[in-house]
mmCIF file of all heavy atoms in Angstrom:
data_model
loop_
_atom_site.group_PDB
_atom_site.id
_atom_site.type_symbol
_atom_site.label_atom_id
_atom_site.label_comp_id
_atom_site.label_asym_id
_atom_site.label_seq_id
_atom_site.Cartn_x
_atom_site.Cartn_y
_atom_site.Cartn_z
ATOM 1 N N PRO A 1489 0.817 -1.225 0.000
ATOM 2 C CA PRO A 1489 0.000 0.000 0.000
ATOM 3 C C PRO A 1489 0.848 1.271 0.000
ATOM 4 O O PRO A 1489 0.470 2.273 -0.612
ATOM 5 C CB PRO A 1489 -0.810 -0.117 1.302
ATOM 6 C CG PRO A 1489 -0.811 -1.574 1.620
ATOM 7 C CD PRO A 1489 0.523 -2.067 1.182
ATOM 8 N N GLY A 1490 1.986 1.229 0.688
ATOM 9 C CA GLY A 1490 2.830 2.411 0.755
ATOM 10 C C GLY A 1490 3.368 2.839 -0.595
ATOM 11 O O GLY A 1490 3.638 4.019 -0.821
ATOM 12 N N MET A 1491 3.518 1.873 -1.514
ATOM 13 C CA MET A 1491 4.096 2.179 -2.816
ATOM 14 C C MET A 1491 3.222 3.117 -3.646
ATOM 15 O O MET A 1491 3.722 3.912 -4.440
ATOM 16 C CB MET A 1491 4.361 0.874 -3.578
ATOM 17 C CG MET A 1491 5.464 0.032 -2.970
ATOM 18 S SD MET A 1491 5.653 -1.583 -3.764
ATOM 19 C CE MET A 1491 6.255 -1.088 -5.380
ATOM 20 N N PHE A 1492 1.890 3.032 -3.475
ATOM 21 C CA PHE A 1492 1.010 3.919 -4.254
ATOM 22 C C PHE A 1492 0.332 4.971 -3.379
ATOM 23 O O PHE A 1492 -0.480 5.762 -3.875
ATOM 24 C CB PHE A 1492 -0.039 3.116 -5.031
ATOM 25 C CG PHE A 1492 -0.927 2.233 -4.207
ATOM 26 C CD1 PHE A 1492 -2.040 2.751 -3.571
ATOM 27 C CD2 PHE A 1492 -0.654 0.882 -4.071
ATOM 28 C CE1 PHE A 1492 -2.873 1.949 -2.812
ATOM 29 C CE2 PHE A 1492 -1.485 0.061 -3.324
ATOM 30 C CZ PHE A 1492 -2.595 0.592 -2.689
ATOM 31 N N ALA A 1493 0.656 5.019 -2.086
ATOM 32 C CA ALA A 1493 0.038 6.013 -1.199
ATOM 33 C C ALA A 1493 0.377 7.432 -1.632
ATOM 34 O O ALA A 1493 -0.482 8.325 -1.604
ATOM 35 C CB ALA A 1493 0.484 5.775 0.247
ATOM 36 N N GLY A 1494 1.625 7.655 -2.035
ATOM 37 C CA GLY A 1494 2.035 8.999 -2.443
ATOM 38 C C GLY A 1494 1.296 9.482 -3.677
ATOM 39 O O GLY A 1494 0.878 10.647 -3.762
ATOM 40 N N MET A 1495 1.132 8.596 -4.655
ATOM 41 C CA MET A 1495 0.394 8.972 -5.875
ATOM 42 C C MET A 1495 -1.060 9.297 -5.556
ATOM 43 O O MET A 1495 -1.623 10.265 -6.088
ATOM 44 C CB MET A 1495 0.486 7.839 -6.903
ATOM 45 C CG MET A 1495 1.865 7.646 -7.494
ATOM 46 S SD MET A 1495 1.907 6.364 -8.782
ATOM 47 C CE MET A 1495 1.720 4.892 -7.763
ATOM 48 N N LEU A 1496 -1.673 8.488 -4.672
ATOM 49 C CA LEU A 1496 -3.050 8.746 -4.270
ATOM 50 C C LEU A 1496 -3.177 10.097 -3.590
ATOM 51 O O LEU A 1496 -4.096 10.876 -3.886
ATOM 52 C CB LEU A 1496 -3.534 7.649 -3.323
ATOM 53 C CG LEU A 1496 -4.150 6.384 -3.923
ATOM 54 C CD1 LEU A 1496 -4.482 5.399 -2.809
ATOM 55 C CD2 LEU A 1496 -5.406 6.735 -4.718
ATOM 56 N N GLN A 1497 -2.267 10.384 -2.689
ATOM 57 C CA GLN A 1497 -2.340 11.643 -1.942
ATOM 58 C C GLN A 1497 -2.196 12.842 -2.872
ATOM 59 O O GLN A 1497 -2.926 13.827 -2.730
ATOM 60 C CB GLN A 1497 -1.251 11.662 -0.859
ATOM 61 C CG GLN A 1497 -1.265 12.914 0.009
ATOM 62 C CD GLN A 1497 -0.539 14.082 -0.633
ATOM 63 O OE1 GLN A 1497 0.560 13.911 -1.160
ATOM 64 N NE2 GLN A 1497 -1.147 15.262 -0.601
ATOM 65 N N GLN A 1498 -1.245 12.757 -3.797
ATOM 66 C CA GLN A 1498 -1.037 13.898 -4.692
ATOM 67 C C GLN A 1498 -2.246 14.103 -5.613
ATOM 68 O O GLN A 1498 -2.551 15.237 -5.983
ATOM 69 C CB GLN A 1498 0.230 13.678 -5.521
ATOM 70 C CG GLN A 1498 1.510 13.867 -4.702
ATOM 71 C CD GLN A 1498 2.699 14.203 -5.571
ATOM 72 O OE1 GLN A 1498 2.905 13.608 -6.613
ATOM 73 N NE2 GLN A 1498 3.507 15.155 -5.140
ATOM 74 N N TYR A 1499 -2.914 13.038 -5.959
ATOM 75 C CA TYR A 1499 -4.092 13.147 -6.826
ATOM 76 C C TYR A 1499 -5.302 13.664 -6.048
ATOM 77 O O TYR A 1499 -6.073 14.489 -6.557
ATOM 78 C CB TYR A 1499 -4.409 11.785 -7.447
ATOM 79 C CG TYR A 1499 -5.610 11.787 -8.348
ATOM 80 C CD1 TYR A 1499 -5.557 12.346 -9.626
ATOM 81 C CD2 TYR A 1499 -6.816 11.235 -7.915
ATOM 82 C CE1 TYR A 1499 -6.678 12.352 -10.452
ATOM 83 C CE2 TYR A 1499 -7.939 11.232 -8.729
ATOM 84 C CZ TYR A 1499 -7.865 11.793 -9.998
ATOM 85 O OH TYR A 1499 -8.965 11.810 -10.811
ATOM 86 N N LEU A 1500 -5.464 13.194 -4.811
ATOM 87 C CA LEU A 1500 -6.665 13.508 -4.024
ATOM 88 C C LEU A 1500 -6.516 14.735 -3.138
ATOM 89 O O LEU A 1500 -7.515 15.370 -2.794
ATOM 90 C CB LEU A 1500 -7.042 12.301 -3.149
ATOM 91 C CG LEU A 1500 -7.399 11.007 -3.866
ATOM 92 C CD1 LEU A 1500 -7.568 9.882 -2.849
ATOM 93 C CD2 LEU A 1500 -8.673 11.187 -4.681
ATOM 94 N N GLY A 1501 -5.294 15.057 -2.734
ATOM 95 C CA GLY A 1501 -5.101 16.065 -1.698
ATOM 96 C C GLY A 1501 -5.155 15.408 -0.330
ATOM 97 O O GLY A 1501 -5.655 14.279 -0.188
ATOM 98 N N TYR A 1502 -4.646 16.097 0.692
ATOM 99 C CA TYR A 1502 -4.532 15.480 2.012
ATOM 100 C C TYR A 1502 -5.882 15.109 2.624
ATOM 101 O O TYR A 1502 -6.084 13.996 3.105
ATOM 102 C CB TYR A 1502 -3.768 16.396 2.954
ATOM 103 C CG TYR A 1502 -2.268 16.363 2.727
ATOM 104 C CD1 TYR A 1502 -1.593 17.485 2.260
ATOM 105 C CD2 TYR A 1502 -1.525 15.211 2.981
ATOM 106 C CE1 TYR A 1502 -0.225 17.463 2.050
ATOM 107 C CE2 TYR A 1502 -0.158 15.178 2.772
ATOM 108 C CZ TYR A 1502 0.491 16.310 2.303
ATOM 109 O OH TYR A 1502 1.844 16.277 2.089
ATOM 110 N N THR A 1503 -6.829 16.028 2.627
ATOM 111 C CA THR A 1503 -8.106 15.756 3.302
ATOM 112 C C THR A 1503 -8.839 14.572 2.683
ATOM 113 O O THR A 1503 -9.275 13.646 3.390
ATOM 114 C CB THR A 1503 -9.014 16.999 3.263
ATOM 115 O OG1 THR A 1503 -8.356 18.096 3.915
ATOM 116 C CG2 THR A 1503 -10.327 16.721 3.987
ATOM 117 N N THR A 1504 -8.976 14.573 1.364
ATOM 118 C CA THR A 1504 -9.666 13.465 0.698
ATOM 119 C C THR A 1504 -8.911 12.153 0.872
ATOM 120 O O THR A 1504 -9.516 11.086 1.029
ATOM 121 C CB THR A 1504 -9.842 13.772 -0.806
ATOM 122 O OG1 THR A 1504 -10.478 15.042 -0.962
ATOM 123 C CG2 THR A 1504 -10.690 12.704 -1.481
ATOM 124 N N PHE A 1505 -7.582 12.244 0.864
ATOM 125 C CA PHE A 1505 -6.772 11.030 1.086
ATOM 126 C C PHE A 1505 -7.054 10.447 2.464
ATOM 127 O O PHE A 1505 -7.245 9.229 2.599
ATOM 128 C CB PHE A 1505 -5.290 11.347 0.941
ATOM 129 C CG PHE A 1505 -4.388 10.184 1.289
ATOM 130 C CD1 PHE A 1505 -4.128 9.189 0.364
ATOM 131 C CD2 PHE A 1505 -3.820 10.087 2.555
ATOM 132 C CE1 PHE A 1505 -3.312 8.110 0.689
ATOM 133 C CE2 PHE A 1505 -3.003 9.018 2.884
ATOM 134 C CZ PHE A 1505 -2.745 8.022 1.946
ATOM 135 N N PHE A 1506 -7.087 11.293 3.479
ATOM 136 C CA PHE A 1506 -7.340 10.800 4.835
ATOM 137 C C PHE A 1506 -8.771 10.256 4.973
ATOM 138 O O PHE A 1506 -9.008 9.300 5.720
ATOM 139 C CB PHE A 1506 -7.081 11.896 5.860
ATOM 140 C CG PHE A 1506 -5.619 12.265 5.986
ATOM 141 C CD1 PHE A 1506 -5.233 13.610 6.085
ATOM 142 C CD2 PHE A 1506 -4.637 11.295 6.001
ATOM 143 C CE1 PHE A 1506 -3.887 13.954 6.203
ATOM 144 C CE2 PHE A 1506 -3.295 11.634 6.120
ATOM 145 C CZ PHE A 1506 -2.918 12.967 6.211
ATOM 146 N N ILE A 1507 -9.716 10.848 4.259
ATOM 147 C CA ILE A 1507 -11.074 10.301 4.248
ATOM 148 C C ILE A 1507 -11.073 8.908 3.618
ATOM 149 O O ILE A 1507 -11.740 7.985 4.105
ATOM 150 C CB ILE A 1507 -12.034 11.240 3.488
ATOM 151 C CG1 ILE A 1507 -12.229 12.544 4.274
ATOM 152 C CG2 ILE A 1507 -13.384 10.567 3.234
ATOM 153 C CD1 ILE A 1507 -13.013 13.616 3.525
ATOM 154 N N LEU A 1508 -10.291 8.755 2.533
ATOM 155 C CA LEU A 1508 -10.165 7.445 1.895
ATOM 156 C C LEU A 1508 -9.574 6.416 2.864
ATOM 157 O O LEU A 1508 -10.014 5.254 2.899
ATOM 158 C CB LEU A 1508 -9.288 7.549 0.651
ATOM 159 C CG LEU A 1508 -8.994 6.225 -0.079
ATOM 160 C CD1 LEU A 1508 -10.290 5.619 -0.629
ATOM 161 C CD2 LEU A 1508 -7.981 6.436 -1.195
ATOM 162 N N VAL A 1509 -8.592 6.833 3.660
ATOM 163 C CA VAL A 1509 -8.002 5.942 4.658
ATOM 164 C C VAL A 1509 -9.085 5.455 5.620
ATOM 165 O O VAL A 1509 -9.157 4.265 5.948
ATOM 166 C CB VAL A 1509 -6.867 6.654 5.433
ATOM 167 C CG1 VAL A 1509 -6.449 5.835 6.660
ATOM 168 C CG2 VAL A 1509 -5.668 6.882 4.523
ATOM 169 N N VAL A 1510 -9.933 6.374 6.071
ATOM 170 C CA VAL A 1510 -11.009 6.003 6.990
ATOM 171 C C VAL A 1510 -11.980 5.027 6.315
ATOM 172 O O VAL A 1510 -12.431 4.052 6.930
ATOM 173 C CB VAL A 1510 -11.760 7.262 7.478
ATOM 174 C CG1 VAL A 1510 -12.985 6.871 8.298
ATOM 175 C CG2 VAL A 1510 -10.828 8.139 8.308
ATOM 176 N N ILE A 1511 -12.293 5.255 5.054
ATOM 177 C CA ILE A 1511 -13.170 4.341 4.321
ATOM 178 C C ILE A 1511 -12.539 2.944 4.237
ATOM 179 O O ILE A 1511 -13.220 1.921 4.381
ATOM 180 C CB ILE A 1511 -13.468 4.881 2.910
ATOM 181 C CG1 ILE A 1511 -14.304 6.165 2.991
ATOM 182 C CG2 ILE A 1511 -14.177 3.831 2.054
ATOM 183 C CD1 ILE A 1511 -14.471 6.880 1.668
ATOM 184 N N CYS A 1512 -11.226 2.906 4.042
ATOM 185 C CA CYS A 1512 -10.520 1.626 3.921
ATOM 186 C C CYS A 1512 -10.487 0.844 5.232
ATOM 187 O O CYS A 1512 -10.156 -0.355 5.227
ATOM 188 C CB CYS A 1512 -9.092 1.858 3.430
ATOM 189 S SG CYS A 1512 -8.977 2.316 1.681
ATOM 190 N N THR A 1513 -10.823 1.491 6.340
ATOM 191 C CA THR A 1513 -10.866 0.744 7.603
ATOM 192 C C THR A 1513 -11.931 -0.351 7.572
ATOM 193 O O THR A 1513 -11.897 -1.269 8.391
ATOM 194 C CB THR A 1513 -11.130 1.677 8.802
ATOM 195 O OG1 THR A 1513 -12.392 2.336 8.633
ATOM 196 C CG2 THR A 1513 -10.023 2.709 8.952
ATOM 197 N N SER A 1514 -12.862 -0.254 6.626
ATOM 198 C CA SER A 1514 -13.864 -1.322 6.483
ATOM 199 C C SER A 1514 -13.194 -2.659 6.194
ATOM 200 O O SER A 1514 -13.699 -3.720 6.585
ATOM 201 C CB SER A 1514 -14.860 -0.977 5.373
ATOM 202 O OG SER A 1514 -14.189 -0.818 4.127
ATOM 203 N N LEU A 1515 -12.046 -2.633 5.514
ATOM 204 C CA LEU A 1515 -11.306 -3.870 5.237
ATOM 205 C C LEU A 1515 -10.841 -4.526 6.522
ATOM 206 O O LEU A 1515 -10.839 -5.758 6.632
ATOM 207 C CB LEU A 1515 -10.102 -3.577 4.332
ATOM 208 C CG LEU A 1515 -10.405 -3.135 2.905
ATOM 209 C CD1 LEU A 1515 -9.120 -2.729 2.200
ATOM 210 C CD2 LEU A 1515 -11.099 -4.247 2.139
ATOM 211 N N THR A 1516 -10.435 -3.714 7.499
ATOM 212 C CA THR A 1516 -10.004 -4.247 8.788
ATOM 213 C C THR A 1516 -11.141 -4.994 9.467
ATOM 214 O O THR A 1516 -10.950 -6.092 10.010
ATOM 215 C CB THR A 1516 -9.506 -3.106 9.695
ATOM 216 O OG1 THR A 1516 -8.483 -2.368 9.004
ATOM 217 C CG2 THR A 1516 -8.943 -3.653 10.993
ATOM 218 N N PHE A 1517 -12.330 -4.418 9.430
ATOM 219 C CA PHE A 1517 -13.493 -5.071 10.032
ATOM 220 C C PHE A 1517 -13.838 -6.371 9.301
ATOM 221 O O PHE A 1517 -14.177 -7.378 9.926
ATOM 222 C CB PHE A 1517 -14.698 -4.125 10.019
ATOM 223 C CG PHE A 1517 -14.622 -3.034 11.046
ATOM 224 C CD1 PHE A 1517 -14.001 -1.830 10.760
ATOM 225 C CD2 PHE A 1517 -15.163 -3.220 12.307
ATOM 226 C CE1 PHE A 1517 -13.931 -0.821 11.709
ATOM 227 C CE2 PHE A 1517 -15.106 -2.218 13.265
ATOM 228 C CZ PHE A 1517 -14.477 -1.015 12.973
#
C-alpha cells in the first residue's frame, strides 16, 4: 500500500486522502 500512497495523496489532496483511509478501515473489520 505504501508504494502507491504517495500517488493517491497527490491526486486527491490530504483531506480526501485521509477520508479514503477512513473508508478503507472497512477492510479491517
Side-chain angles (χ1 to χ4, degrees):
M1491 292 174 68
F1492 58 83
M1495 291 184 288
L1496 273 177
Q1497 182 277 315
Q1498 286 203 316
Y1499 180 75
L1500 298 173
Y1502 282 114
T1503 301
T1504 307
F1505 174 82
F1506 291 138
I1507 292 172
L1508 176 64
V1509 168
V1510 173
I1511 293 171
C1512 287
T1513 60
S1514 60
L1515 293 173
T1516 305
F1517 285 88

